[in-house]
Amino acid sequence: MSEIHEDYIIEIENVSKTFTGGVEAVRGFSAKIRRQEVVVIMGPSGSGKSTLLRCINGLETAESGAIVVDGIRLDGDKRRRLEIRKEVGMVFQSFNLFPHLTVLENVNLAQRRVRKKNKASATERSLELLQMVGIADKANSYPAQLSGGQQQRVAIARALALAPKVMLFDEPTSALDPEMINEVLDVMKKLARSGMTMVVVTHEMGFAREVSDWVIFMDDGQIVETGAPESIFARPQEERTRRFLNQIL
Amino acid sequence: MLHTKAKFRAIDAVLLLLCLAAGAYIYYRIQYGLEYKGSWAAIPQFLLRYDPETGRWAANYLLQGLITTLKLSLWATLPALLVGLFVALCRTSETLFLRMVGASYVELVRNLPPLVLIFIFYFFVIDQIMPLLGVETFIRALPTGAQGVITFLFAEKSLFVQFISGIITLAFFEGAYMAEIIRGGIESIERGQHEAAYALGLSWVDEMRFVVMPQVIKRVLPALANEFINTIKYSSIASIVSIQELTFMGRQVVVATRYIFETWITVAVLYMALTLSLSLVTEQLEKRLQASD
Ligand SMILES: Nc1ncnc2c1ncn2[C@@H]1O[C@H](COP(=O)(O)OP(=O)(O)OP(=O)(O)O)[C@@H](O)[C@H]1O
Ligand SMILES: [Mg+2]
């Protein structure tokens, strides 16, 4: 990767990650993601989806291969790593809101401390974001007072607060009661339509069909198959993909 | 956990009677079996004493001792908390060296008898650290007004260096226990909290300050309050190096009066009054914190 490809915001080349204990979670994974693309990653449990996602913002350190985000190479250098952390927002399966802070404080925190904004301008942006995810009225509540769906929407707003260029979602709806899944997916769809680059680990076929540009099917730490959602769901080329799709349908 | 209510049964009555009988027997042995003549009437004057000069009641040895115990424990707790916080951060750090430093300190303190530790450490502090800090010169140079404040907050001028050494020794000792409590709190914070802080680009300091520590404090506050009660109990070993706290004063009174039982029972009651009331406060605190979750 000698030259920087301007139109690719994420470049993953031959990335491998082995955990201490010998589990090869990701094995020689390569993918390039363009600006404003929405990519859905699917695959059976333990296939390395979370690990791959976490390698992109440096939560896990890949032991070989290269990851470049918006022209910044993720390596041992702390300052470059911090740049990437600021440019990549992440939403977790278990929300991970800060329970001792109100909704507003959760969304304000990084703006204040990382972007060094003053309270008024941080709050202004936070309220806009909370408006966008539809819970501005809960700004002064604590996370424990919210439903799962509401918490996850706060988590999305919090991740957006630093105006990241990329958003990573790790099974954002799989800890939610069925009736709350859609309120979160709706926010994500809105975000996708606004032009955000998104990498989403999810088994929500409807979401994948509606907003994703392409789908990566993973197994055993590797890509089994990639393609546009219509084609990969309708005509999977690989036996493993077919078996998996039959299971989740 | 199953909450079964305690019931009073026949067996409880029997056991209670046995305990009362044992108590009566011990009392009888002390009264008639021992070559010992005590008197309760002599004790109150060692708590409060009437000063004919000022015409007021003033705290005497035992009550003064209790106050010194409280001062010693309070002052020792502040540096112990700082040491505890620092060592807890060392022990949870990614740097192996810091972890080893923290672990060595904690293991050293926890695996030595406190009395031995205080002998070694106290004389080291008195001999080396106090002159280094210039405490003695500092206290001598103070104007009289300030000395009154110092006496009120710490101890009289002549005992000040000793008192400060006692504080440092006790803090050194308690710091290890505080460290373990705080470390437990830090380690109890879910991994997801750290990951969220990381993903938001927070620095380590900010993560600790705004995300981890506020939650840790809430979780460990009852345990720390409890450790303060332990500090009060441990502070009695400071009597061995002539700091005039409650146990030291108890010994003085015994030497003067020979009323061993009366004096030590009074000392025990004074300690209990302090620790039990603090226990109650701790319990309330715990309930309050639980309710706020
Ligand atoms: N911190 C870790 N230490 C050791 N092994 C790990 C660790 N995290 C994940 N693994 C292992 O790596 C493999 C891939 O895990 P990963 O969480 O990436 O899978 P996944 O595709 O996200 O699965 P799921 O759908 O269950 O979330 C699994 O075998 C898992 O047990
Ligand atoms: Mg996963």
Side-chain angles (χ1 to χ4, degrees):
Chain A
M1 263 187 301
S2 45
E3 81 262 44
I4 293 167
H5 304 274
E6 270 304 314
D7 44 344
Y8 291 121
I9 190 159
I10 301 175
E11 296 165 84
I12 304 167
E13 199 165 278
N14 207 17
V15 160
S16 297
K17 170 72 189 176
T18 309
F19 284 107
T20 37
V23 181
E24 288 182 80
V26 178
R27 301 193 292 165
F29 188 102
S30 300
K32 288 180 177 178
I33 296 165
R34 287 191 166 83
R35 279 172 208 284
Q36 310 209 329
E37 263 179 352
V38 176
V39 180
V40 162
I41 303 178
M42 289 186 173
S45 179
S47 57
K49 308 178 297 291
S50 297
T51 307
L52 175 75
L53 212 59
R54 294 154 62 87
C55 282
I56 298 177
N57 72 350
L59 258 177
E60 305 284 359
T61 314
E63 76 261 357
S64 68
I67 294 174
V68 178
V69 180
D70 199 26
I72 307 167
R73 199 188 180 97
L74 188 62
D75 51 24
D77 185 87
K78 275 214 167 139
R79 235 165 317 142
R80 274 199 289 272
R81 180 177 291 245
L82 179 61
E83 274 318 300
I84 289 183
R85 285 160 60 193
K86 288 192 223 167
E87 286 199 11
V88 179
M90 186 159 192
V91 174
F92 302 87
Q93 183 176 353
S94 50
F95 329 139
N96 298 345
L97 292 178
F98 304 134
H100 60 296
L101 300 180
T102 63
V103 165
L104 183 63
E105 288 165 344
N106 263 278
V107 187
N108 272 355
L109 182 61
Q111 298 182 70
R112 305 281 320 269
R113 303 305 305 175
V114 180
R115 292 271 190 253
K116 310 287 183 204
K117 282 203 212 171
N118 66 30
K119 191 166 179 183
S121 73
T123 301
E124 194 186 318
R125 172 160 178 82
S126 296
L127 289 177
E128 269 170 33
L129 288 167
L130 289 172
Q131 193 86 46
M132 199 272 276
V133 300
I135 29 180
D137 54 324
K138 300 282 186 196
N140 293 315
S141 305
Y142 285 90
Q145 299 167 314
L146 304 185
S147 72
Q150 290 172 326
Q151 289 190 48
Q152 193 61 297
R153 285 184 283 149
V154 174
I156 293 173
R158 181 179 69 175
L160 288 170
L162 290 184
K165 294 183 177 153
V166 176
M167 286 282 283
L168 308 176
F169 294 82
D170 191 359
E171 305 206 32
T173 57
S174 57
L176 297 177
D177 293 336
E179 71 271 19
M180 295 171 187
I181 291 179
N182 278 329
E183 63 190 52
V184 172
L185 289 179
D186 286 344
V187 168
M188 290 169 63
K189 287 174 195 166
K190 196 150 88 177
L191 195 59
R193 291 197 193 98
S194 77
M196 177 62 76
T197 310
M198 294 163 63
V199 184
V200 186
V201 173
T202 184
H203 294 158
E204 294 293 334
M205 309 269 281
F207 174 83
R209 263 206 196 91
E210 208 176 318
V211 293
S212 78
D213 297 291
W214 49 294
V215 175
I216 298 175
F217 180 72
M218 256 182 107
D219 196 7
D220 244 348
Q222 291 171 313
I223 295 180
V224 173
E225 187 170 354
T226 67
E230 322 70 76
S231 61
I232 206 169
F233 293 152
R235 298 175 300 279
Q237 301 298 304
E238 297 289 326
E239 178 56 29
R240 275 189 286 182
T241 319
R242 209 167 303 142
R243 240 182 301 142
F244 177 77
L245 289 173
N246 281 337
Q247 265 171 25
I248 63 166
L249 279 178
Chain B
M1 206 170 57
L2 261 178
H3 282 278
T4 44
K5 240 192 154 171
K7 280 192 208 111
F8 193 82
R9 296 208 181 84
I11 180 79
D12 297 302
V14 172
L15 288 173
L16 200 62
L17 279 176
L18 276 175
C19 288
L20 286 176
Y25 178 70
I26 291 170
Y27 180 75
Y28 168 81
R29 294 296 304 179
I30 290 169
Q31 284 295 309
Y32 304 102
L34 273 180
E35 204 60 54
Y36 176 78
K37 281 283 157 285
S39 156
W40 279 103
I43 296 300
Q45 60 173 322
F46 292 110
L47 290 170
L48 283 175
R49 153 182 83 90
Y50 185 73
D51 192 341
E53 269 171 44
T54 57
R56 269 190 298 189
W57 290 89
N60 205 358
Y61 294 129
L62 292 181
L63 222 46
Q64 276 175 6
L66 185 71
I67 293 167
T68 306
T69 288
L70 195 57
K71 281 198 254 183
L72 186 64
S73 310
L74 277 173
W75 283 118
T77 298
L78 292 178
L81 278 172
L82 290 181
V83 170
L85 177 62
F86 177 75
V87 172
L89 289 175
C90 283
R91 293 206 72 180
T92 51
S93 130
E94 282 176 4
T95 314
L96 185 64
F97 174 74
L98 289 178
R99 275 181 186 240
M100 276 163 51
V101 169
S104 311
Y105 163 68
V106 168
E107 293 308 323
L108 178 80
V109 170
R110 289 208 306 184
N111 290 294
L112 280 176
L115 205 53
V116 173
L117 206 68
I118 203 170
F119 276 134
I120 300 173
F121 193 72
Y122 178 78
F123 290 110
F124 175 73
V125 171
I126 280 258
D127 209 58
Q128 297 295 317
I129 298 187
M130 286 294 124
L132 201 70
L133 297 176
V135 173
E136 191 121 34
T137 16
F138 165 77
I139 194 77
R140 283 228 191 86
L142 277 181
T144 335
Q147 280 183 4
V149 176
I150 291 283
T151 305
F152 177 75
L153 289 177
F154 298 93
E156 324 172 6
K157 198 173 136 192
S158 58
L159 298 172
F160 185 74
V161 173
Q162 263 182 29
F163 190 80
I164 296 292
S165 306
I167 289 173
I168 295 177
T169 308
L170 208 55
F172 173 80
F173 182 77
E174 271 303 320
Y177 291 91
M178 302 276 188
E180 287 301 273
I181 292 171
I182 297 171
R183 177 172 77 115
I186 294 175
E187 284 172 354
S188 78
I189 299 299
E190 298 73 15
R191 200 168 137 199
Q193 295 287 304
H194 297 285
E195 293 181 348
Y198 172 94
L200 286 171
L202 293 176
S203 66
W204 179 84
V205 173
D206 282 348
E207 177 183 337
M208 282 295 150
R209 182 166 155 210
F210 294 102
V211 176
V212 177
M213 278 305 159
Q215 298 185 62
V216 168
I217 289 169
K218 207 172 150 185
R219 287 184 200 186
V220 303
L221 210 54
L224 289 178
N226 213 41
E227 195 53 40
F228 177 62
I229 294 172
N230 280 335
T231 309
I232 290 176
K233 291 191 286 179
Y234 277 126
S235 74
S236 73
I237 60 172
S239 66
I240 213 81
V241 289
S242 301
I243 290 170
Q244 306 192 332
E245 45 67 75
L246 184 53
T247 302
F248 179 88
M249 291 305 204
R251 271 172 37 202
Q252 299 294 94
V253 171
V254 167
V255 168
T257 62
R258 306 246 148 243
Y259 299 151
I260 299 175
F261 286 109
E262 289 81 354
T263 309
W264 286 120
I265 287 170
T266 308
V267 166
V269 168
L270 289 175
Y271 272 119
M272 287 272 272
L274 201 55
T275 50
L276 273 182
S277 47
L278 283 169
S279 284
L280 286 179
V281 172
T282 311
E283 233 165 78
Q284 280 314 107
L285 185 71
E286 207 159 348
K287 270 194 205 131
R288 192 78 64 78
L289 286 176
Q290 258 167 19
S292 74
D293 279 337

